[in-house]
Amino acid sequence: MATILRTFSKEELIEKFNEIHSKGWIENMRGRNDGAVGNTLEDLLGIPENNLPIPNAAEWELKAQRSNTTSLLTLFHMEPSPRALGVVPNILLPKYGWPSAGAGKQYDTKELSFRATLSTKSYIDRGFKVLVNDKERKIEITFNSDITDARHKAWLSSVKERVGHLNDFDIRPYWGFDDLFHKAGTKLINCFYVRADVKRETINRKRKEYFNYNYVLKLSHFDQEKFIQAFRDGILYIDFDARSHHNHGTKVRIHYNDIPLLYKDAEVIINDRSNGDCL
């Protein structure tokens, strides 16, 4: 039998957030992974993952994190172009990858890794960086071997052997502005961002975790120019997380306190955090 989804008006959803907040500490029944805060919240709302069914309104995305997290917030996944080349599995890993930490242990001895969090702020120690190409309307990844840290000398020699040179990419991996706008428009046009305090207790020798959903921010009218400006300012990150036999996906990420910079309107719905961490 098909599941009948409950729908909320925007106002009803805000009322529901207040109701959940009023309950105080709520036990985590969704495991200890990073998504447990959001998954538990979705259970409380009675909705499937990442889908807020609000009739007669633009789609709203739900983003949730632990208040004490230092992790970047993932906005969406999107693999780089040219898509036909399979940039991550066919170029970045085999030509620019380095030995995986698990090579020869849980993985094959030749397992390579390409895990890097990049922005326009500065080159990372292996010489990669994000560039904003306004002329061609692209967000690009560039490589500069002169920036590579001395401790990566052996890796750099292997790159030269595999690629044939140490110049920039023959074809830079990129994301077109319009492709990014389309992806963001389907995922981020309007968003509720929620944070929860966390506590852990041992009850009958069992370790339990609890969430207190005490911060809700309503973000509306995603702004394309602000989005590109965030890349220019170095507050949006491209995050690669791949190894030879598994690509966890390429992500566009941001620090939680910077997310209002992507929207025309930001309104705090609930802010009941005593330590002043939230916006």
Side-chain angles (χ1 to χ4, degrees):
M1 181 180 295
T3 301
I4 299 176
L5 300 179
R6 178 183 174 182
T7 61
F8 299 91
S9 68
K10 186 168 51 180
E11 292 72 22
E12 286 173 334
L13 188 60
I14 291 172
E15 183 179 342
K16 190 69 175 177
F17 284 135
N18 279 291
E19 178 185 319
I20 291 169
H21 168 56
S22 69
K23 292 181 179 180
W25 294 103
I26 297 169
E27 185 175 354
N28 170 18
M29 304 298 290
R30 288 296 218 110
R32 296 296 176 86
N33 57 61
D34 289 341
V37 170
N39 295 148
T40 300
L41 181 58
E42 287 159 347
D43 290 343
L44 292 167
L45 292 170
I47 60 175
E49 292 184 15
N50 298 315
N51 180 20
L52 298 181
I54 303 175
N56 304 318
E59 288 295 322
W60 289 75
E61 179 79 356
L62 177 64
K63 298 288 185 183
Q65 286 184 306
R66 290 171 165 83
S67 297
N68 61 355
T69 186
T70 58
S71 299
L72 293 169
L73 177 69
T74 298
L75 297 178
F76 53 83
H77 291 67
M78 190 174 183
E79 294 304 308
S81 295
R83 299 289 181 85
L85 297 183
V87 172
V88 173
N90 296 327
I91 298 174
L92 296 183
L93 274 167
K95 294 187 176 183
Y96 295 89
W98 47 89
S100 170
K105 300 172 186 177
Q106 67 262 48
Y107 309 133
D108 184 89
T109 56
K110 295 182 179 180
E111 189 82 0
L112 294 175
S113 173
F114 195 93
R115 300 187 67 186
T117 301
L118 312 178
S119 76
T120 58
K121 285 181 180 178
S122 60
Y123 287 92
I124 65 167
D125 59 4
R126 292 185 189 268
F128 301 103
K129 183 182 179 182
V130 175
L131 292 178
V132 177
N133 184 337
D134 286 297
K135 183 178 180 179
E136 298 185 16
R137 294 174 54 80
K138 295 177 180 178
I139 302 298
E140 300 177 330
I141 304 299
T142 186
F143 174 63
N144 186 342
S145 61
D146 294 335
I147 306 297
T148 304
D149 191 277
R151 71 181 187 277
H152 298 310
K153 184 177 179 180
W155 167 76
L156 197 59
S157 296
S158 76
V159 170
K160 184 175 183 179
E161 182 177 341
R162 287 178 281 171
V163 178
H165 60 76
L166 289 177
N167 301 324
D168 198 356
F169 293 108
D170 294 326
I171 300 175
R172 286 178 178 172
Y174 73 91
W175 294 259
F177 285 8
D178 290 339
D179 290 337
L180 286 167
F181 295 157
H182 176 74
K183 184 72 172 184
T186 59
K187 294 290 289 181
L188 300 171
I189 189 167
N190 298 296
C191 178
F192 281 102
Y193 174 70
V194 182
R195 286 174 76 85
D197 281 349
V198 180
K199 72 173 182 179
R200 296 178 180 88
E201 295 179 351
T202 300
I203 300 176
N204 297 326
R205 298 184 179 181
K206 291 184 178 180
R207 193 72 167 162
K208 294 189 176 184
E209 184 175 60
Y210 298 85
F211 300 139
N212 184 348
Y213 293 93
N214 52 16
Y215 181 78
V216 178
L217 179 66
K218 179 170 71 72
L219 300 157
S220 52
H221 306 110
F222 176 81
D223 190 295
Q224 294 181 353
E225 180 52 38
K226 288 185 175 184
F227 180 69
I228 298 302
Q229 188 60 45
F231 273 111
R232 295 189 189 102
D233 294 340
I235 62 175
L236 277 177
Y237 297 81
I238 299 294
D239 190 47
F240 293 98
D241 185 6
R243 56 181 175 82
S244 296
H245 293 90
H246 189 74
N247 180 7
H248 290 275
T250 306
K251 309 171 186 71
V252 176
R253 309 186 77 190
I254 194 170
H255 286 287
Y256 82 88
N257 54 335
D258 289 328
I259 192 171
L261 299 177
L262 306 181
Y263 290 84
K264 292 180 181 178
D265 300 302
E267 179 185 355
V268 175
I269 303 301
I270 298 171
N271 188 3
D272 187 24
R273 301 204 60 242
S274 58
N275 59 15
D277 253 359
C278 282
L279 301 170

